[in-house]
Amino acid sequence: MTFKTLLRAAVACAAIALPAQAQTPTQGTPPMTPDIPAKFTAPNVGYDYERREVMIPMRDGVKLYTVIIVPEGAKDAPILLTRTPYNAKTPSKRFNSPYAAATGAQVDEAFLADGYIRVYQDVRGKYASEGDYVLTRPLRGPLNNTPVDHSTDAYDTIDWLVKNTPESNGRVGVTGSSYPGFTAAMALIDPHPALKAAVPQSPMIDGWMGDDWFQNGAFRQTMLDWFMNQMTEKGSGPDLPREALDDYENFLRAGNVWSFGKKAGLDQIPAFRKIVEHPAYDQFWQEQALDKQLAKHPLKVPTLWVGSLYDQEDIYGAVHAYKAVEAKDANNDMNFLALGAWRHSGVNYEQRQLGALKMPGDTATEFRLKVMKPFLDQHLKTNGPKADIAPVTMFETGTLQWKRYDRWPQAAALKPLYLQPGLKLGFDAPTGAAYDEYVSDPAKPVPFVPRPVRADDADQWRYWLASDQRHASTRPDVLVYVSEPLKEPLKIAGEPVVNLFASTTGTDSDWVVKLIDVYPDFVPSDLDMSGYQMPIAMEIFRGRYRDSYEKPSPIPAGKVQKYRFELPTANHVFQPGHRIMVQVQSSWFPLYDRNPQTYVENIFTAPPSAYRKATQRIYHTGAAASAIELPVVPLN
């Protein structure tokens, strides 16, 4: 019998069988029978996993909703846990599929396919979990007089899992990105003995110094949508109400942050009020700074801190948490750092392009398969193979390749790149004119992206840190310093440091400094990059905190002051033919709230009369020679 004959016979048999499988009910269903059954049971025939939904009790009696995905035939399997305020059902049911690798989040495909038990849990007070929700609930102590925090909840969850999941090998890892990165990091405080590895991704570590809410004291207004979405309902709430499509107009019309928030109803949310009540880096913020807390505890769990060089939300956390515990890693085999050229949480998806900049492939999936999974396999699998990964894995922008290092930062010393007269930039100490100046007008702040600033444009927000800075470089209230085209490549590997000497005619001011790679005027292989002003590291600093983050003070009008602060981590090679650029400005709107440029006790509630123009001077001579101190290293 030929193959075609067999195929025709099989099709005929299937056709004969269909009527029997599709028989109609023997009795009619009354027309007014309610069409939502009391309980719907989803068929699971042919599924290669079992999905369990349980309520796990915490030590205070509160039960947390937890989804457990157990691959078919799992035995002696590791457990990977994520604790989230973003609905445990979402990543645990990406596709309504009979395949485990498809039902989990994209980042979990390789783990579920390899037999990992994947666990997702709603944090207390969110979605299906019981209890009260407190934003980034502090550790038990001065700010938390209850017996529970995210550390204890992780401990109790892990304890229950290893006792009630017979398919497991009793070894648990924690991971998650952003807020779930924070909860993963919290699990490292007094960890459960079964916790054998952690991969906090883009973790919220210090909300005032550089993650989510503030950057060096300047408030990030764009996160107010998150407040509305996360804290108006136990589930997912609405977006902020808006009059105009352009958020530049919406925030400008409101005046100050408190007025904007109150109009939207955010004054009803305690977390918003707490932020407004604590504009400076006081005990409220210092006690929550997780890098400071981690530094107080022994390093017991192998941890891979994963961050993004272009993280638009939590660019601070991973690097500073790594640094906080690195001194405890005597053998350089417990504390790991990895940074990719990704957006916030980009490690969990495909990342083939960073705005206009094309990558040499899907760098995020490559990282997960070559670094993240081997790390977890080593520590979570029974007799897991040793991972061939470096203490530091860093993507190098400029050359678009991964680098392996034994430590971070690479640079042992900093080399000053001076702002020079004539708006030039170079390594030679400047001589000549004492300063350059511009007028900063709070009524016409510098936008952080080309207008309109749209909350509905996800990619505008995701990739703004890699956006072309030509939109700002032509403004009269932005100083632009540019080097000559480079004749040789220049590599930096660490945190550039701003050493700015400036004066203002006001009594308060913000200083925004950007380190930029300017592409050649014509790039024939990629026309979109011709003349592109590619940000390498950018930061804002609120002038009132120049002497103390905890105790702000007015800036003496007209007097030169020194402002010293770090730019975010960079691992970059400026190529020959490219130029280095530094931009200096005094607003970055509406990303950050406007500085009124008149000192007030609390900028959140500044009156309209406080917002005044100011003449800003940037000095570049003698003892007041402004510079960006670069972590220059040899090429390797």
Side-chain angles (χ1 to χ4, degrees):
M1 186 177 290
T2 67
F3 174 77
K4 288 185 178 179
T5 304
L6 285 170
L7 182 61
R8 282 196 294 269
V11 171
C13 289
I16 293 170
L18 281 174
Q21 296 172 359
Q23 291 179 355
T24 57
T26 55
Q27 286 185 322
T29 303
M32 290 306 295
T33 302
D35 288 324
I36 299 177
K39 182 179 180 180
F40 176 80
T41 302
N44 60 5
V45 176
Y47 279 50
D48 68 1
Y49 66 94
E50 179 185 352
R51 177 188 175 90
R52 302 169 188 168
E53 298 185 23
V54 297
M55 297 295 289
I56 297 180
M58 301 293 104
R59 63 190 62 185
D60 62 344
V62 167
K63 296 179 180 179
L64 304 186
Y65 172 78
T66 309
V67 178
I68 306 171
I69 298 176
V70 183
E72 184 180 28
K75 184 180 179 181
D76 194 38
I79 296 174
L80 190 57
L81 167 66
T82 294
R83 307 186 59 253
T84 178
Y86 300 127
N87 192 355
K89 291 183 179 179
T90 299
S92 66
K93 217 166 194 177
R94 182 162 62 110
F95 295 108
N96 193 0
S97 170
Y99 307 112
T103 197
Q106 185 171 347
V107 66
D108 298 322
E109 289 178 6
F111 294 98
L112 287 166
D114 194 27
Y116 272 68
I117 296 169
R118 194 66 173 94
V119 182
Y120 310 89
Q121 182 181 77
D122 289 330
V123 299
R124 61 174 58 224
K126 288 297 293 180
Y127 290 89
S129 282
E130 300 173 352
D132 296 324
Y133 177 74
V134 177
L135 174 62
T136 54
R137 177 183 286 263
L139 288 165
R140 292 161 293 162
L143 302 180
N144 181 356
N145 60 2
T146 76
V148 295
D149 53 33
H150 284 297
S151 176
T152 65
D153 284 352
Y155 190 105
D156 295 347
T157 298
I158 292 170
D159 193 64
W160 189 94
L161 288 170
V162 295
K163 291 176 180 176
N164 293 276
T165 315
E167 299 87 351
S168 84
N169 63 2
R171 303 174 73 86
V172 181
V174 290
T175 191
S177 190
S178 196
Y179 200 117
F182 158 76
T183 61
M186 288 286 271
L188 300 173
I189 306 291
D190 300 323
H192 191 283
L195 180 60
K196 301 300 183 182
V199 184
Q201 304 167 347
S202 298
M204 301 163 63
I205 296 296
D206 190 324
W208 196 94
M209 289 301 299
D211 288 328
D212 283 307
W213 323 127
F214 293 84
Q215 297 281 126
N216 295 315
F219 179 68
R220 186 175 288 174
Q221 298 181 128
T222 50
M223 296 305 295
L224 292 180
D225 264 301
W226 191 89
F227 277 70
M228 179 70 76
N229 183 264
Q230 280 291 302
M231 287 172 281
T232 53
E233 300 177 19
K234 189 174 182 181
S236 179
D239 292 330
L240 283 169
R242 285 175 164 82
E243 295 177 356
L245 178 67
D246 189 351
D247 265 352
Y248 188 98
E249 288 293 340
N250 291 321
F251 282 97
L252 194 61
R253 291 172 186 173
N256 60 44
V257 174
W258 176 251
S259 297
F260 182 95
K262 189 173 182 181
K263 186 175 181 180
L266 293 178
D267 58 317
Q268 302 171 54
I269 297 175
F272 177 67
R273 297 199 303 269
K274 293 172 193 175
I275 283 180
V276 171
E277 292 164 6
H278 297 276
Y281 197 54
D282 57 13
Q283 185 189 32
F284 177 78
W285 296 110
Q286 293 178 34
E287 288 290 334
Q288 292 186 69
L290 195 46
D291 53 344
K292 293 180 174 61
Q293 297 296 335
L294 288 165
K296 299 175 184 178
H297 290 75
L299 177 60
K300 295 182 178 180
V301 180
T303 303
L304 171 60
W305 300 98
V306 179
S308 305
L309 292 165
Y310 287 86
D311 192 318
Q312 77 278 13
E313 295 175 23
D314 294 304
I315 201 167
Y316 180 94
V319 172
H320 288 82
Y322 162 83
K323 288 183 176 181
V325 296
E326 178 61 8
K328 304 173 187 294
D329 188 10
N331 297 319
N332 209 19
D333 61 356
M334 289 278 286
N335 188 44
F336 296 79
L337 176 65
L339 298 181
W342 307 313
R343 64 174 176 89
H344 178 69
S345 298
V347 63
N348 295 305
Y349 310 98
E350 288 189 13
Q351 192 77 70
R352 299 179 184 274
Q353 196 157 339
L354 187 67
L357 184 64
K358 298 179 180 67
M359 295 289 115
D362 180 3
T363 59
T365 300
E366 178 188 15
F367 170 82
R368 294 197 301 270
L369 296 179
K370 293 184 178 180
V371 180
M372 180 177 167
K373 189 171 184 296
F375 172 81
L376 289 172
D377 286 349
Q378 174 182 336
H379 297 291
L380 298 185
K381 287 186 174 183
T382 303
N383 300 318
K386 182 173 175 55
D388 179 22
I389 63 173
V392 176
T393 303
M394 194 82 65
F395 195 82
E396 186 176 86
T397 51
T399 63
L400 302 182
Q401 58 184 317
W402 288 103
K403 292 291 185 178
R404 294 164 58 99
Y405 302 125
D406 60 354
R407 68 187 189 283
W408 191 260
Q410 284 286 286
L414 299 171
K415 185 175 182 179
L417 179 68
Y418 292 102
L419 311 187
Q420 298 177 333
L423 299 177
K424 295 180 180 180
L425 197 62
F427 291 108
D428 295 329
T431 58
Y435 59 82
D436 299 303
E437 68 179 25
Y438 60 96
V439 175
S440 173
D441 185 356
K444 299 177 181 179
V446 181
F448 77 102
V449 290
R451 295 179 61 185
V453 181
R454 297 181 55 169
D456 66 329
D457 186 344
D459 280 349
Q460 184 187 60
W461 172 242
R462 287 172 179 164
Y463 298 110
W464 76 265
L465 272 178
S467 62
D468 193 341
Q469 295 301 298
R470 280 179 285 193
H471 74 95
S473 63
T474 55
R475 285 183 58 116
D477 50 358
V478 178
L479 291 179
V480 181
Y481 297 87
V482 189
S483 75
E484 293 295 324
L486 297 177
K487 295 180 180 179
E488 297 178 348
L490 177 72
K491 178 173 179 175
I492 60 173
E495 289 74 46
V497 176
V498 174
N499 204 40
L500 191 70
F501 292 90
S503 68
T504 176
T505 56
T507 50
D508 200 359
S509 179
D510 286 348
W511 305 103
V512 178
V513 177
K514 310 173 190 175
L515 178 64
I516 297 166
D517 184 341
V518 183
Y519 277 64
D521 294 339
F522 195 80
V523 181
S525 60
D526 190 352
L527 294 177
D528 288 342
M529 296 305 293
S530 298
Y532 201 95
Q533 296 179 7
M534 181 71 185
I536 304 305
M538 306 189 289
E539 189 59 284
I540 187 171
F541 185 90
R542 185 139 286 175
R544 59 175 51 208
Y545 300 112
R546 69 204 177 281
D547 295 325
S548 169
Y549 289 129
E550 188 174 359
K551 297 178 180 179
S553 61
I555 298 173
K559 293 187 177 181
V560 179
Q561 301 288 293
K562 181 179 179 179
Y563 302 90
R564 187 173 176 83
F565 56 96
E566 284 187 353
L567 298 181
T569 288
N571 190 44
H572 182 73
V573 176
F574 295 92
Q575 296 286 9
H578 291 225
R579 291 175 293 160
I580 305 174
M581 175 183 286
V582 171
Q583 293 182 7
V584 181
Q585 59 200 55
S586 291
S587 54
W588 224 6
F589 191 77
L591 175 62
Y592 295 102
D593 62 331
R594 294 177 301 153
N595 192 313
Q597 303 182 160
T598 302
Y599 187 86
V600 293
E601 288 301 314
N602 191 332
I603 291 179
F604 285 119
T605 58
S609 60
Y611 292 85
R612 300 176 185 173
K613 293 181 182 180
T615 299
Q616 318 286 64
R617 289 180 174 176
I618 305 301
Y619 289 79
H620 41 60
T621 186
S626 297
I628 311 300
E629 298 175 2
L630 298 180
V632 176
V633 296
L635 290 172
N636 61 346

